[in-house]
Amino acid sequence: MIKAMAENIKEELISIRRQLHKTPETDFEEVKTAEFIRKILTEYGIEYKTAAKTGTVAVIYGKNKDRTVLLRADIDGLPIKDESDFEIKSERKGYMHACGHDIHTTCLLGAAKILNEMRNNLNGNVKLVFQPAEEGSGGALPMIEEGVLENPHVNAAFALHVEPLEQTGKIQIKDGSIMASPDDFEIIIRGVGGHGAYPEKCVNPLSVGAAILEKYHKLPNEYNLPCVVTICSFNGGTCRNAIPDTAVITGTARSLDLNTRTQLIKLLEEIAIKISKKMGAEINFNFNILFPPVVNNKEMNNIVRKSAEKLGLEVTVLEKPSMAGDDFAYFCERIPGAYFKLGVGNKEKGVVYPIHSPKFNADEDALPIGSAIMAKIAAEYLDTFKE
């Protein structure tokens, strides 16, 4: 029934996705996006509340009010120029939905319509969370702090993410850690500047930074840590024949569990201090702790698997977690949750570029599939607790 209902609204879903695709907004600035989401919810007869500035929360009440499942979609875009071949382009210069959040939002709206029509048969409540700022400072924690997990109390949470490198409609799952903590760091190196012809009279912060960079890239293997450390910027100097006084390195440090994360923070600072002292420089080391890893609950993952199989979808178990991050982790820290991936790739249609690429696109045939799987998960979870 759910699969047929989703297919019947395919054209509507395509229209919604394309409207969202035109107006990408970032990091708590998703004003037009939120207005559009609320407009659609109103048309569906679903009441909503605002949260975390541009977030939206709605509840579909079923026949059993004692159990609630949360479905989440992130709504923000990225500051990336749209260079895709998609016929609908971003109308905001320098911004695009390069991570598929327009797809996530559309699928949740589709699931909302389906679930609202079958609400009298739902064995509990479904809370719909349209979350801002996943790509930026994070909207999940502010929404939680404003009480999104209460009134009614939430018992489990689910979220999907598009995967353009997987064939349309295939579902990817993984028990345990599926996404990393996406922390970052900054190192300010202070040396002694001077003429490039006399390096022996200087302490070159660029040389210090290069030594740190080399050591960092060897760190995961040398210490046998399941992590990624990447230097993403290295800035210093303005002149070809003058050694600067300072240089600044920034990068990302990603880990899959909290113990590794703690070790990594300590090692990165110790390495930077040791190298700088040896080479006669001083440093300021700043580590920015962001979201924790996304850790899936095995039972909730089984709900995803069972729902996909009942819809006739192929399920793949990922061998390795992604080293990208997602603040859905905050939900999974507090309640049982599962985060899974939906294939949206199609080589025949030229949909082959990864997320965050300026050429990113998604096969719109995935829209009813995403809507159906989200709706089915909610219904399946609630049916698990029938008395």
Side-chain angles (χ1 to χ4, degrees):
M1 180 178 71
I2 286 176
K3 186 175 182 179
M5 293 172 75
E7 283 297 333
N8 287 340
I9 60 171
K10 181 176 179 180
E11 293 306 313
E12 180 179 345
L13 295 173
I14 289 174
S15 177
I16 289 171
R17 185 266 168 135
R18 293 187 174 195
Q19 181 58 42
L20 289 166
H21 193 78
K22 291 178 183 178
T23 56
E25 299 168 298
T26 59
D27 211 13
F28 296 114
E29 295 180 353
E30 308 94 334
V31 176
K32 289 184 178 180
T33 302
E35 288 175 353
F36 182 70
I37 291 167
R38 294 163 190 170
K39 173 178 173 288
I40 298 297
L41 290 173
T42 300
E43 290 175 0
Y44 292 166
I46 302 173
E47 295 183 359
Y48 63 82
K49 294 181 179 179
T50 62
K53 297 181 181 178
T54 48
T56 303
V57 183
V59 181
I60 298 171
Y61 291 95
K63 58 186 179 181
N64 174 8
K65 304 297 189 292
D66 296 331
R67 184 159 291 274
T68 301
V69 58
L70 183 152
L71 304 178
R72 174 269 213 172
D74 35 14
I75 68 173
D76 53 324
L78 284 160
I80 294 174
K81 182 182 177 182
D82 188 347
E83 297 178 2
S84 73
D85 293 329
F86 186 37
E87 59 188 283
I88 303 299
K89 294 287 189 180
S90 169
E91 294 177 352
R92 295 194 67 212
K93 187 176 181 180
Y95 294 86
M96 72 175 291
H97 272 294
C99 200
H101 295 189
D102 53 337
I103 303 288
H104 304 170
T105 301
T106 301
C107 290
L108 186 52
L109 286 169
K113 185 169 188 176
I114 294 166
L115 291 165
N116 195 47
E117 290 178 6
M118 55 187 289
R119 62 187 178 279
N120 293 332
N121 295 317
L122 290 175
N123 193 45
N125 313 311
V126 182
K127 186 169 284 191
L128 311 164
V129 173
F130 297 89
Q131 179 210 304
E134 187 278 326
E135 296 286 1
S137 53
L141 191 57
M143 294 192 90
I144 291 170
E145 290 172 345
E146 290 184 24
V148 73
L149 296 180
E150 302 300 332
N151 301 315
H153 175 72
V154 175
N155 303 99
F158 297 88
L160 70 75
H161 199 293
V162 297
E163 177 47 80
L165 303 183
E166 179 61 275
Q167 187 64 31
T168 296
K170 290 187 178 181
I171 303 298
Q172 296 179 337
I173 63 173
K174 186 183 181 301
D175 288 342
S177 296
I178 187 170
M179 302 285 276
S181 53
D183 304 324
D184 59 51
F185 57 87
E186 177 189 65
I187 306 172
I188 302 171
I189 306 166
R190 295 183 175 84
V192 178
H195 201 294
Y198 309 107
E200 72 279 3
K201 298 181 179 179
C202 306
V203 176
N204 191 338
L206 300 174
S207 299
V208 177
I212 292 172
L213 183 153
E214 183 180 10
K215 187 68 173 178
Y216 276 9
H217 283 178
K218 294 177 181 178
L219 186 151
N221 290 331
E222 189 171 329
Y223 292 88
N224 195 28
L225 284 177
C227 66
V228 167
V229 179
T230 306
I231 302 297
C232 297
S233 74
F234 189 170
N235 297 298
T238 58
C239 182
R240 292 184 180 183
N241 62 352
I243 294 170
D245 286 317
T246 62
V248 179
I249 290 175
T250 66
T252 184
R254 296 170 181 255
S255 47
L256 296 166
D257 62 82
L258 297 181
N259 286 334
T260 300
R261 190 188 210 182
T262 301
Q263 290 182 64
L264 193 55
I265 296 170
K266 183 180 179 182
L267 280 170
L268 290 173
E269 184 170 17
E270 287 179 350
I271 289 169
I273 290 173
K274 183 177 180 180
I275 290 173
S276 61
K277 281 186 175 180
K278 183 178 180 180
M279 299 181 71
E282 295 181 353
I283 68 156
N284 282 14
F285 179 87
N286 302 304
F287 195 91
N288 185 25
I289 294 176
L290 296 172
F291 320 141
V294 179
V295 182
N296 281 338
N297 177 280
K298 186 175 182 178
E299 291 183 13
M300 298 307 104
N301 236 12
N302 286 337
I303 297 286
V304 176
R305 183 203 298 269
K306 188 187 301 184
S307 300
E309 290 174 347
K310 287 186 176 182
L311 290 171
L313 302 176
E314 183 179 337
V315 179
T316 300
V317 178
L318 294 170
E319 293 183 5
K320 296 180 179 180
S322 167
M323 296 310 290
D326 194 301
D327 68 346
F328 185 69
Y330 289 118
F331 290 104
C332 294
E333 275 191 329
R334 290 159 173 79
I335 53 176
Y339 180 99
F340 64 98
K341 297 189 177 184
L342 169 67
V344 296
N346 190 320
K347 291 182 180 179
E348 292 181 1
K349 295 181 180 180
V351 182
V352 295
Y353 295 99
I355 56 174
H356 289 220
S357 165
K359 295 184 179 295
F360 169 84
N361 194 10
D363 183 0
E364 292 182 323
D365 286 345
L367 293 172
I369 299 171
S371 298
I373 184 73
M374 290 296 272
K376 185 65 174 175
I377 285 169
E380 193 73 27
Y381 172 82
L382 295 173
D383 280 346
T384 302
F385 298 94
K386 278 184 178 178
E387 295 181 357

